[in-house]
Amino acid sequence: MAKERVKNFILDEAKIVGFKGEYTVVFNGSNWNGEPLVLSSSRQPYEARIFKSLDGAIAELLRIGLTEASIKITNKSDND
């Protein structure tokens, strides 16, 4: 579904947020019921997909058609 939204220019910017071993993709300016819109898997559509590496998150963004993203590295305690 994210790939279709990128093709239709609904999603055009993303941010990778997290810390070593736990990165999520958040789409900038997009909300779902007041919450930030995050990338999820088709098997668990209501949970944010967690990537173990930045490379994995970037590869997924490239796969769905986004070529630009920002990265925010946080401390583990920032997410608790």
Side-chain angles (χ1 to χ4, degrees):
M1 185 172 278
K3 193 173 194 176
E4 287 300 315
R5 290 180 179 176
V6 169
K7 279 185 187 177
N8 294 323
F9 304 104
I10 297 169
L11 299 174
D12 61 355
E13 203 173 316
K15 182 182 347 179
I16 300 170
V17 180
F19 52 91
K20 187 175 183 176
E22 284 192 35
Y23 299 100
T24 57
V25 174
V26 179
F27 295 101
N28 294 345
S30 299
N31 292 312
W32 178 260
N33 295 331
E35 296 291 320
L37 190 59
V38 296
L39 188 63
S40 62
S41 70
S42 58
R43 290 183 182 176
Q44 297 174 331
Y46 300 107
E47 294 181 25
R49 183 169 175 188
I50 305 296
F51 293 90
K52 292 182 181 180
S53 69
L54 281 172
D55 287 344
I58 292 169
E60 186 63 19
L61 287 175
L62 289 171
R63 189 188 73 75
I64 65 173
L66 285 177
T67 57
E68 201 169 312
S70 61
I71 300 171
K72 181 178 179 184
I73 307 296
T74 62
N75 293 326
K76 188 173 184 173
S77 61
D78 292 347
N79 291 339
D80 290 341

